[in-house]
Amino acid sequence: MQSSNAKAKVFVHAEGKEFHLTNGQVSYIVRVNAEGKLLQLYYGAAVSDRDDFGYLVEMQRRSTASCPVEGNLTYSLEHLRQEFPEYGTSDYRMPAISMAQANGSRITDFRFAGYRIGGGKPKLDGLPATYVDQENEAVTLSIDLFDAPTGVTATLKYTMFATLPVIARSVSLHNGGEKAVDIERLMSLSLDLPDDDYMFTQLTGSWARERSIVRSRLHPGIQQIGSLRGSASSHIHNPAIALARPETTESHGEVIGAAFVYSGNFEAHVEVDPFAVSRLQMGIADFGFTWHLDPGSSFQSPEVVFAYTSQGYNGMSHAFHDLVRRHLVRGPWRDKERPVLINNWEATYFDFDEKKLLSIAKQAQKLGVELFVLDDGWFGERHNDTAGLGDWTPNPERLPEGLKGLAQRINDMGMMFGLWFEPEMVNKDSDLYRAHPDWMLHTPGRRASHGRNEYVLDFTNPDVVDEIYRQMHAMLSTANIGYIKWDMNRYITEAFDVTRGAEHQGEVFHRYILGVYQLHERLLNAFPNLIIEGCASGGGRFDMGMLYYTPQIWTSDDTDAVERMSIQYGTSMFYPLSAMGSHVSIVPNHQTGREVSMNTRANVAMFGTFGYELDPAALSEKELKQVADDVAFFKRHRELIHQGDFYRLVSPFERDSRRNDSVAWMVVSADRTQAIVGDYRMLEHPMSPFTRLHLQGLDPSLRYRIQVRGGASTINGMTFGGDELMRIGMLSTDASASSSAEAGSANSLGNPHDFSSRLFILSAC
Ligand code: DGJ
């Protein structure tokens, strides 16, 4: 039997006990055994269907094994690859579920109870999730597993997308029993792979140094990343990992990538058992988590999206980029060109008045900028970072004509107006705190920690969310505001829910994030044309959960172009360029003190949602002319940059001491007639080898004319076959002056140096 939806199908065999999901690119096969347990048989490149994949269930007698069935010494859950593993019934690895019951027991035995197959993809109530516009874009298989003693049903949902090598999986629990249970662990994805020959790839970092790529070989035991910071997936570990064969490169080799569509506490780990089976799990972090599930109630986990490709890390990135652009980002800004913006933060910090803002906006408008964003400091008594958070009304000294007046003037210049909020936080020096001290997350009788003088509002409390919604709604209604920057600068400490009892205290972190999602949803329902740009001290909440509400996210507070080469490169592993907020700022750079040319600053920022974060009055005439050129160039190419296929070519994370430290990437249009290559120098070394960039994604049968922007090259104006550029490579030696010891010996290509860069624009001719 087969249930199909265009290309995505579920073949059902073994009298409704074996399921083969496939879309011609990948296959995912699971089977129910005689004991009713759901086993994982295969995940990888698509295979043809057959009537029975049961031969893939391998069992043999193994010493020390615990065996649940009397008289059967070959059947042990420890040695089976499972879809919803449990602890305590013969499997000793990390379980997908742990549930405390009225008598204190955590033993469960979930067994197959039925399945459903439907076209499309159901919504996940209150949670961000991937979606489809048409039923034929995906097929969803739901499998029910039932634990008889508790009466709890677990439903595993698998959605296979028709044209992407991606599956979304989540789990919901329904308590149909008579007693409450406490969910202590519920992994959204649990995937047992038959071997451990993989590199574990993670994105790691800190504030201003987000998402460096780190790879390490899987080894016996558990390799884990996660966040326990409550309000964010965090700067430290991004909630996305990849498992790749050791020989995998950017363009070849098998990769399985998994990303969590969630923004709070998470864990992602791989456990390698003694038989080299690798168990990949991802879900809400179990530390500090308990969810009290009363009879008759349900709990829905967030979803994990996971992709398989044999086309290397770039292949995996393409799957996730397309998924985010087509099936995660919503609303009109999914398909519309994003405006080039100017933000006043690094230009003024807290030191501004309306006159200053208007002067920045006026000059920016002349340069072609389309959106003016007023950052922190416009509201309440917010003269510095000690006061004002929670009081979302304009400060009359700074904005004598209110938001309406300022927005009107900006609109009259022909620009959109955007505004900063930090809705989840409060300062003690605020009217909101004075009126509702209990609305700050705190544990009664204990000291409350702060960060940057701010405290976290209790978003588990619907009254708090209502009040912040009321204030934001009022501001968005008084003026024509087309964009908001939604900042969040505090991780949670002393978590406690003062409105609920002891049995609910393990719910605080998850309820907090649900409150954040709810506020986003309500605002987007009320103002569907709004662009919300996410931000969390830069890129502290750059995850697929936020991208459901915020089509773009401020990538990092580090605006230094050289730092950004690595940050944007790492971020591109899972997230598309259209999601990455990136601005040109002033030099010396405020985070590093580095001096980088305007050319390179723009060439880096253009590979994202381009904008500026400076006072144009501080620029020379020459620089202003360049800014105008850059803005015009970006507008001409932004569709290609945001919608095209992005390829990483040269990594900043893999250095070779003989070569100049470089970064290179490119983007190619869907029809493969246009491409832009970004070629960046970090540090220059003398006597570097000649270099070629092996381009990717071009049409081998087309010829391309190359124009070089922002630097010189011998190949400027020449034409090449796509096959030459990909197979022979594009010459990219930059003729460093330091290749010769003689002063003045720089050749006709100019004199590249540390932090120089060029764009190569390819047009099919
Ligand atoms: C942190 C953000 O990342 C910055 O861009 C800026 O908005 C400041 N907060 C304002 O306080």
Side-chain angles (χ1 to χ4, degrees):
M1 186 180 122
Q2 169 191 331
S3 288
S4 104
N5 219 336
K7 287 189 187 150
K9 298 182 180 63
V10 185
F11 292 100
V12 183
H13 299 300
E15 292 167 2
K17 298 281 178 68
E18 187 179 289
F19 306 92
H20 175 189
L21 289 96
T22 185
N23 60 5
Q25 299 183 57
V26 290
S27 283
Y28 195 90
I29 306 172
V30 298
R31 182 185 173 100
V32 180
N33 72 3
E35 286 286 301
K37 306 308 276 186
L38 188 61
L39 306 181
Q40 156 61 223
L41 301 196
Y42 174 72
Y43 174 48
V47 293
S48 329
D49 191 48
R50 59 182 283 146
D51 288 345
D52 189 343
F53 284 98
Y55 71 94
L56 289 169
V57 181
E58 294 165 283
M59 293 196 298
Q60 56 179 229
R61 182 174 175 176
R62 285 179 165 163
S63 294
T64 74
S66 298
C67 303
V69 178
E70 274 185 34
N72 185 343
L73 292 171
T74 60
Y75 180 64
S76 170
L77 292 168
E78 186 179 4
H79 303 127
L80 287 169
R81 288 182 286 118
Q82 299 163 67
E83 286 289 296
F84 197 58
E86 298 149 297
Y87 175 81
T89 53
S90 78
D91 190 354
Y92 297 96
R93 297 166 292 180
M94 288 302 284
I97 183 163
S98 176
M99 212 171 73
Q101 297 143 49
N103 65 359
S105 165
R106 270 115 178 128
I107 300 300
T108 55
D109 187 4
F110 281 94
R111 295 178 184 224
F112 182 73
Y115 73 93
R116 290 168 300 288
I117 295 172
K121 182 171 190 291
K123 276 186 133 197
L124 299 190
D125 251 2
L127 283 167
T130 50
Y131 66 90
V132 291
D133 290 324
Q134 311 287 338
E135 273 219 341
N136 65 2
E137 290 175 336
V139 64
T140 298
L141 166 68
S142 305
I143 297 180
D144 294 330
L145 305 172
F146 184 61
D147 181 54
T150 57
V152 174
T153 301
T155 302
L156 311 189
K157 290 189 204 88
Y158 301 87
T159 296
M160 173 155 275
F161 291 87
T163 57
L164 296 175
V166 177
I167 298 173
R169 191 184 117 154
S170 68
V171 184
S172 60
L173 292 184
H174 176 73
N175 186 354
E178 282 167 8
K179 291 184 178 157
V181 295
D182 286 304
I183 308 165
E184 296 177 331
R185 176 177 176 84
L186 184 64
M187 291 293 105
S188 299
L189 173 67
S190 187
L191 174 61
D192 286 353
L193 300 163
D195 69 78
D196 64 350
D197 192 19
Y198 291 104
M199 301 296 286
F200 182 102
T201 301
Q202 63 191 91
L203 301 179
T204 185
S206 72
W207 175 77
R209 184 169 49 74
E210 292 91 341
R211 289 174 294 283
S212 297
I213 299 172
V214 172
R215 296 197 171 102
S216 47
R217 183 110 202 182
L218 281 189
H219 50 68
I222 295 179
Q223 243 156 301
Q224 177 159 333
I225 59 160
S227 167
L228 294 176
R229 290 165 190 260
S231 50
S233 46
S234 91
H235 300 85
I236 321 301
H237 296 298
N238 195 261
I241 59 171
L243 293 182
R245 297 299 186 189
E247 65 279 6
T248 294
T249 64
E250 283 290 357
S251 51
H252 298 97
E254 285 193 308
V255 191
I256 294 169
F260 201 21
V261 187
Y262 190 64
S263 314
N265 285 356
F266 77 95
E267 68 179 72
H269 75 241
V270 179
E271 177 173 8
V272 176
D273 78 8
F275 307 98
V277 168
S278 302
R279 174 168 288 174
L280 163 60
Q281 294 191 329
M282 195 176 254
I284 292 176
D286 67 2
F287 183 84
F289 172 79
T290 310
W291 192 273
H292 189 70
L293 198 64
D294 278 320
S297 59
S298 301
F299 179 83
Q300 172 65 56
S301 83
E303 74 179 16
V304 168
V305 287
F306 57 109
Y308 166 86
T309 179
S310 59
Q311 284 156 31
Y313 293 105
N314 274 326
M316 177 196 75
S317 301
H318 290 168
F320 284 120
H321 293 181
D322 287 344
L323 183 79
V324 170
R325 291 184 296 199
R326 286 196 248 142
H327 298 294
L328 186 60
V329 166
R330 298 175 296 165
W333 294 101
R334 181 183 79 170
D335 304 316
K336 263 177 37 186
E337 293 189 337
R338 310 281 172 74
V340 175
L341 68 80
I342 190 153
N343 176 304
N344 73 307
W345 180 242
E346 286 202 15
T348 65
Y349 296 105
F350 290 109
D351 184 15
F352 64 84
D353 55 18
E354 189 182 74
K355 194 164 157 243
K356 179 74 197 163
L357 299 175
L358 288 171
S359 113
I360 294 174
K362 201 166 167 194
Q363 293 174 81
Q365 188 275 334
K366 284 193 213 141
L367 300 169
V369 171
E370 299 159 309
L371 162 65
F372 174 82
V373 180
L374 170 53
D375 209 279
D376 196 354
W378 59 269
F379 50 91
E381 292 304 313
R382 184 79 169 167
H383 300 290
N384 52 47
D385 67 14
T386 62
L389 291 176
D391 298 341
W392 301 106
T393 46
N395 181 304
E397 282 158 38
R398 288 199 161 159
L399 304 179
E401 298 175 321
L403 283 176
K404 188 174 166 55
L406 177 62
Q408 186 62 55
R409 283 173 186 269
I410 303 281
N411 291 162
D412 289 346
M413 293 177 197
M415 285 199 283
M416 288 169 66
F417 177 65
L419 195 61
W420 182 95
F421 285 94
E422 192 177 355
E424 301 155 61
M425 301 299 147
V426 66
N427 287 120
K428 284 194 173 171
D429 186 358
S430 69
D431 291 342
L432 186 77
Y433 180 79
R434 283 183 282 271
H436 298 284
D438 252 20
W439 282 7
M440 174 185 105
L441 265 185
H442 68 289
T443 302
R446 295 192 182 273
R447 184 172 66 183
S449 309
H450 71 99
R452 204 195 184 200
N453 308 301
E454 59 194 63
Y455 298 83
V456 184
L457 281 172
D458 182 0
F459 265 46
T460 71
N461 179 350
D463 294 345
V464 177
V465 177
D466 279 351
E467 169 57 16
I468 299 299
Y469 175 74
R470 189 193 63 71
Q471 291 196 36
M472 292 178 79
H473 189 281
M475 290 303 99
L476 293 168
S477 306
T478 56
N480 185 17
I481 298 169
Y483 161 111
I484 65 177
K485 177 173 171 187
W486 182 310
D487 203 352
M488 192 292 291
N489 293 297
R490 262 300 315 273
Y491 296 135
I492 292 176
T493 49
E494 294 89 22
F496 192 82
D497 180 347
V498 292
T499 66
R500 293 184 178 86
E503 72 276 25
H504 293 290
Q505 293 309 322
E507 300 169 6
V508 175
F509 293 115
H510 184 54
R511 283 192 187 277
Y512 177 88
I513 290 293
L514 293 180
V516 173
Y517 290 152
Q518 195 200 92
L519 183 57
H520 274 95
E521 192 68 32
R522 288 170 72 178
L523 287 168
L524 286 170
N525 284 337
F527 303 97
N529 294 322
L530 198 61
I531 313 180
I532 307 181
E533 175 153 349
C535 174
S537 301
R541 203 152 67 178
F542 207 120
D543 55 60
M544 299 226 181
M546 289 322 302
L547 285 170
Y548 185 66
Y549 307 97
T550 69
Q552 54 197 63
I553 298 176
W554 182 226
T555 312
S556 176
D557 273 348
D558 192 340
T559 57
D560 175 274
V562 177
E563 297 291 303
R564 277 297 190 115
M565 292 172 196
S566 305
I567 294 170
Q568 292 174 205
Y569 189 99
T571 304
S572 77
M573 256 307 152
F574 294 92
Y575 307 101
L577 301 185
S578 56
M580 287 187 219
S582 46
H583 303 166
V584 172
S585 62
I586 209 78
V587 289
N589 177 267
H590 289 191
Q591 291 76 41
T592 61
R594 195 177 277 133
E595 301 258 1
V596 175
S597 70
M598 180 62 85
N599 178 51
T600 291
R601 280 179 276 157
N603 286 348
V604 173
M606 277 184 203
F607 284 83
T609 63
F610 190 48
Y612 288 82
E613 186 148 342
L614 47 71
D615 181 355
L619 301 181
S620 67
E621 277 306 311
K622 192 172 160 224
E623 286 173 319
L624 287 171
K625 186 172 173 317
Q626 167 145 20
V627 170
D629 280 358
D630 290 340
V631 171
F633 176 85
F634 177 77
K635 286 182 182 170
R636 277 200 305 283
H637 296 286
R638 69 181 143 190
E639 191 185 339
L640 161 63
I641 293 172
H642 288 171
Q643 302 303 332
D645 291 334
F646 180 74
Y647 292 85
R648 291 174 297 274
L649 301 177
V650 177
S651 171
F653 301 107
E654 288 159 28
R655 304 245 169 114
D656 171 342
S657 60
R658 293 163 306 170
R659 292 181 185 280
N660 294 319
D661 295 334
S662 300
V663 182
W665 54 49
M666 67 184 289
V667 64
V668 185
S669 63
D671 66 3
R672 304 203 276 176
T673 59
Q674 305 290 323
I676 302 180
V677 179
D679 181 25
Y680 309 93
R681 179 75 55 255
M682 297 172 110
L683 289 182
E684 188 81 3
H685 297 301
M687 302 290 278
S688 274
F690 294 110
T691 54
R692 291 175 192 183
L693 290 175
H694 287 90
L695 303 191
Q696 294 195 40
L698 301 177
D699 183 336
S701 64
L702 288 179
R703 289 196 75 72
Y704 296 88
R705 183 174 308 284
I706 294 191
Q707 278 176 289
V708 181
R709 187 169 193 272
S713 165
T714 45
I715 60 170
N716 193 16
M718 290 174 69
T719 64
F720 302 92
D723 52 355
E724 284 173 82
L725 293 168
M726 292 191 289
R727 294 168 196 164
I728 298 175
M730 183 182 82
L731 300 191
S732 62
T733 307
D734 61 15
S736 163
S738 54
S739 304
S740 162
E742 292 175 39
S745 67
N747 69 23
S748 58
L749 296 184
N751 191 4
H753 47 273
D754 291 354
F755 323 140
S756 61
S757 68
R758 292 168 296 181
L759 298 185
F760 296 84
I761 296 109
L762 280 65
S763 317
C765 49

